[in-house]
Amino acid sequence: MEFKKISSPSLRELFVEQLQHMILSGKLKIGEKLPPERQLAEMMQVSRAVVNGGITELEKMGFLVVKPRSGTYVADYRRKGTINTLLSIMKYNGGRIRNEEIRSIFEVRIALDTLAARLCIDRITDEEVELLLGKVNEIRDASKVSIAIQAAFEFQHEFALMSGNTLIPLIFQSFKAPIFTMWERFCDLYGVQALYESNYTMWSYIRDRDTDGAVAWIETSMGNCIDGDWQIYYD
């Protein structure tokens, strides 16, 4: 058995984590100005380099905005955020995605999957169809939930690649962590069999080169997750 080295978080990571929690908890309000870097360093007993690096990272993540000759402010992360912002929100919520994010991800998935279907199905080869079937069967035969989720992701990512659009698989890949969390929740509520049957149905439309049927199934299955029989909200 191989054991991995245990490493403690750096001071910068701890600084970033503390400010994230203060922002997400509302202790730091959107638009609120932070103290100068020197003062922050003194208050938190870290170096200015730690503060400067942490602020830079938080700005990239959409939590802060640095205004020249004015100061550093808490950003409206709903407007300025990235996928890393969503991951930070999940971490803050103990790995849970908030209901509004769940709904939003499904709405984005409808748009992306529909575009992939319209670009792909008419020209997909028999070999590609068989490749996709292999991924679907891996869901069916999975010995545990994590393997089923990985297979489901690979099935949908391969289909995105087959669309020929270079951005769709990249966007899909960027949502990997929250998608895994959502499918884990789905399997907890409805079982791996339901995940398999949903993906098999999609594959059947691909096999039959039925673009309209695939698009309708995408809208139906995702719609059921938004406000139908397959909801995965936590409340």
Side-chain angles (χ1 to χ4, degrees):
M1 182 180 295
E2 182 179 355
F3 294 91
K4 296 182 180 179
K5 178 183 176 181
I6 298 175
S7 59
S8 59
S10 67
L11 287 175
R12 189 177 77 170
E13 290 170 336
L14 291 173
F15 173 86
V16 168
E17 182 178 323
Q18 182 170 329
L19 261 69
Q20 281 178 346
H21 282 218
M22 292 177 73
I23 292 169
L24 291 172
S25 68
K27 291 180 180 178
L28 284 173
K29 307 295 184 183
I30 292 174
E32 184 173 343
K33 184 178 181 179
L34 268 60
E37 288 187 10
R38 184 184 300 277
Q39 185 178 345
L40 268 178
E42 292 174 355
M43 294 167 64
M44 302 179 75
Q45 298 183 15
V46 294
S47 69
R48 286 193 64 183
V50 166
V51 173
N52 183 268
I55 287 175
T56 298
E57 186 172 341
L58 286 161
E59 185 176 28
K60 290 179 180 177
M61 296 171 67
F63 286 110
L64 296 177
V65 57
V66 178
K67 299 180 180 180
R69 296 182 298 279
S70 178
T72 302
Y73 297 82
V74 178
D76 184 348
Y77 55 88
R78 298 284 178 153
R79 294 180 180 272
K80 302 290 185 180
T82 65
I83 187 63
N84 288 327
T85 313
L86 175 59
L87 297 179
S88 297
I89 293 171
M90 288 172 56
K91 183 178 179 182
Y92 175 74
N93 289 336
R96 292 185 175 188
I97 308 176
R98 296 188 300 195
N99 289 350
E100 56 265 39
E101 274 85 33
I102 290 175
R103 185 181 192 92
S104 296
I105 290 172
F106 278 126
E107 289 171 347
V108 170
R109 285 288 311 282
I110 289 173
L112 289 176
D113 289 12
T114 295
L115 177 58
R118 294 195 183 283
L119 291 173
C120 177
I121 290 179
D122 286 342
R123 59 187 181 84
I124 195 171
T125 66
D126 290 341
E127 291 77 12
E128 289 171 331
V129 170
E130 287 302 308
L131 173 63
L132 293 176
L133 177 60
K135 297 299 180 184
V136 174
N137 287 340
E138 286 179 24
I139 304 172
R140 179 196 62 196
D141 300 334
S143 58
K144 52 185 179 180
V145 170
S146 60
I147 296 175
I149 292 172
Q150 179 65 38
F153 181 85
E154 290 176 2
F155 165 70
Q156 298 191 5
H157 190 248
E158 283 294 332
F159 183 62
L161 285 167
M162 292 171 187
S163 73
N165 183 294
T166 57
L167 292 183
I168 295 175
L170 293 177
I171 296 171
F172 193 72
Q173 182 70 29
S174 71
F175 278 88
K176 183 174 182 178
I179 286 173
F180 269 52
T181 298
M182 290 166 61
W183 282 343
E184 185 175 27
R185 172 72 170 166
F186 181 91
C187 289
D188 285 344
L189 293 173
Y190 308 110
V192 170
Q193 182 66 22
L195 182 66
Y196 162 70
E197 290 175 358
S198 176
N199 283 275
Y200 182 83
T201 300
M202 181 63 187
W203 176 81
S204 298
Y205 287 117
I206 296 170
R207 175 199 60 198
D208 297 339
R209 275 67 171 184
D210 184 352
T211 301
D212 291 339
V215 169
W217 176 246
I218 291 166
E219 293 174 348
T220 298
S221 58
M222 297 291 180
N224 274 334
C225 293
I226 293 173
D227 53 19
D229 296 333
W230 287 348
Q231 293 181 38
I232 61 171
Y233 304 122
Y234 288 93
D235 303 318

